[in-house]
Amino acid sequence: RSSQQGADNGDGSPSSAVAETPSSEDFSLSLLDTNLPAEAETELRSFIAKRLSKGALFEGMGNVASVDLSIPEYKVGCYYCLCQQENLLETATLESDINAPEYVVCFLGGSEKEDTFRLELDKYIQSLKLSLYLEQKTLETCVKPYLRTWFENSICPIQRVVQLFQEKLTFLLHAALSYTLVEVKNADERTEKDINRFLAAASLQGLVQEGTMTSLCIAMTEEQHKSMIIDCSGPQPQLHNAGSNRFCEDWMHAFVNGAEGGNPFLFRQILENFKLKAIQDINNLKRFIRQAEMNHYALFKCYMFLKNCGSGDILLKIVKVEHAEMPEARNVVTVLEEFMRE
């Protein structure tokens, strides 16, 4: 194998390097950029070399692990990802693949909680590949500045949205859960991107059936005939056509209270817990509905659950769409709708 490959490493900021994907230890790592102290960089390089020699890295798929570094003197979370230049990926053949330079990009944070942002960091690396060329000019003008923004761009958007919206965050959570269309007006590019990323992260996309999600989006659009509008022209965002419920209000307080610590990883964990609780409530309601098809007491349990869970308005819409083709369950949902209206 050629010895002119490399890997890379980085810390609370960036790093990147060239490395060949090896099945044995016949490769070398060349440092391209780092902001780690020399001793810690050597330790991280050793860690990456061991992973490479085991064939444990797959192109474009990030991993998160705990790494022992002498500076700081405790374990840190390390996200690392193997990637090739985009143009090489497109033109590579089996023969040329063997000697194509590859890169390992590493980001270090305070703990393994980077794992909750792994998908965001994977996307971040995909964007990097478009400008990844070996020329020093590109490295200095594009790659290094891009790498140094990883934390601000991938980890902090949820935190920035919480700080911007404060108590109004309840309306964003409600819009995400209810699949309401959202229009952002008069916002700078970063703010608009942050809001859209928050909505995507807070929605149940991927956690409920794809067909259900599509039907819900159509149903919500037809029902409301209007989207929620966020006007960012003033110091505080103004919201129009916004909805809320007790469930979203309770979780909004969890976000606002968490803002005192200023830990962006905490906000992501709260968001995951928010979605987990919503899914649990949906599954409980579905179970009650199945029981209510044959049992009037279970029907009453459905009603009480919807009244007390704080999110009955959204849950009822979701199960209505999911049970549209099931006559018995559809009848139960119809009765529940009547009771909830009364």
Side-chain angles (χ1 to χ4, degrees):
R1 290 177 180 270
S2 162
S3 63
Q4 297 175 3
Q5 302 89 314
D8 146 78
N9 92 304
D11 116 306
S13 263
S15 39
S16 78
V18 209
E20 186 175 88
T21 315
S23 55
S24 58
E25 296 185 8
D26 52 350
F27 65 94
S28 69
L29 303 180
S30 306
L31 178 68
L32 260 66
D33 185 33
T34 185
N35 59 3
L36 274 179
E39 184 179 359
E41 185 274 315
T42 302
E43 293 165 344
L44 182 58
R45 185 188 297 230
S46 174
F47 167 79
I48 293 298
K50 289 177 183 176
R51 294 297 173 112
L52 283 168
S53 65
K54 293 176 182 177
L57 280 73
F58 299 95
E59 209 284 331
M61 295 176 59
N63 299 271
V64 176
S66 192
V67 184
D68 275 311
L69 298 180
S70 56
I71 303 174
E73 295 177 352
Y74 61 89
K75 285 189 175 184
V76 296
C78 174
Y79 166 91
Y80 56 97
C81 184
L82 179 71
C83 64
Q84 284 185 336
Q85 297 176 202
E86 193 71 17
N87 60 332
L88 287 179
L89 282 176
E90 294 172 358
T91 60
T93 64
L94 289 176
E95 294 77 21
S96 66
D97 231 6
I98 295 175
N99 291 315
E102 294 179 327
Y103 304 80
V104 179
V105 181
C106 305
F107 300 132
L108 300 187
S111 73
E112 286 188 59
K113 291 176 182 174
E114 279 89 346
D115 195 40
T116 58
F117 287 94
R118 189 163 46 81
L119 293 178
E120 283 89 344
L121 291 171
D122 283 352
K123 290 179 182 177
Y124 193 71
I125 298 301
Q126 288 298 316
S127 299
L128 169 69
K129 284 159 60 173
L130 297 174
S131 60
L132 199 55
Y133 297 101
L134 291 180
E135 293 87 353
Q136 190 65 25
K137 179 181 177 183
T138 307
L139 183 68
E140 293 295 335
T141 59
C142 298
V143 177
K144 288 184 178 180
Y146 183 84
L147 285 170
R148 287 188 168 81
T149 62
W150 75 274
F151 195 80
E152 281 294 310
N153 286 347
S154 296
I155 309 298
C156 294
I158 293 174
Q159 181 182 36
R160 288 196 293 263
V161 168
V162 172
Q163 293 170 340
L164 176 64
F165 281 81
Q166 297 292 318
E167 285 79 9
K168 292 179 181 178
L169 193 71
T170 181
F171 303 114
L172 271 190
L173 293 171
H174 189 272
L177 270 192
S178 61
Y179 304 89
T180 301
L181 291 174
V182 175
E183 291 182 36
V184 182
K185 297 184 176 181
N186 303 315
D188 59 76
E189 183 180 356
R190 188 178 82 164
T191 299
E192 182 172 359
K193 198 175 289 186
D194 284 353
I195 293 171
N196 289 329
R197 288 175 66 173
F198 182 93
L199 289 167
S203 79
L204 301 183
Q205 185 171 5
L207 300 177
V208 298
Q209 296 176 9
E210 192 171 328
T212 298
M213 198 175 64
T214 303
S215 300
L216 272 168
C217 293
I218 295 171
M220 291 302 295
T221 304
E222 290 176 348
E223 179 180 316
Q224 296 176 356
H225 300 295
K226 51 191 175 185
S227 52
M228 185 175 90
I229 297 172
I230 301 174
D231 185 352
C232 296
S233 56
Q236 285 290 315
Q238 299 299 314
L239 286 72
H240 308 281
N241 307 326
S244 182
N245 58 30
R246 194 175 75 249
F247 179 82
C248 294
E249 289 170 4
D250 291 343
W251 280 97
M252 172 273 293
H253 289 299
F255 280 102
V256 172
N257 293 337
E260 297 171 5
N263 181 352
F265 297 104
L266 173 63
F267 293 118
R268 183 51 178 265
Q269 194 57 59
I270 295 173
L271 199 57
E272 293 304 315
N273 293 342
F274 163 79
K275 291 158 63 174
L276 178 62
K277 184 64 172 74
I279 288 293
Q280 288 174 340
D281 286 349
I282 290 170
N283 290 336
N284 284 332
L285 181 57
K286 288 181 186 177
R287 191 176 76 252
F288 290 147
I289 288 175
R290 284 195 301 269
Q291 296 169 356
E293 292 175 13
M294 300 167 287
N295 184 318
H296 281 238
Y297 176 67
L299 179 62
F300 180 71
K301 279 174 64 179
C302 276
Y303 169 65
M304 293 307 297
F305 176 79
L306 283 170
K307 279 198 58 119
N308 296 326
C309 71
S311 193
D313 58 329
I314 293 175
L315 298 188
L316 205 50
K317 289 185 175 73
I318 292 174
V319 296
K320 182 178 181 179
V321 168
E322 289 200 348
H323 295 86
E325 305 300 323
M326 306 174 189
E328 294 86 356
R330 191 174 65 232
N331 291 337
V332 172
V333 173
T334 301
V335 172
L336 290 171
E337 282 185 311
E338 292 174 2
F339 269 96
M340 291 296 283
R341 274 197 299 269
E342 293 174 5

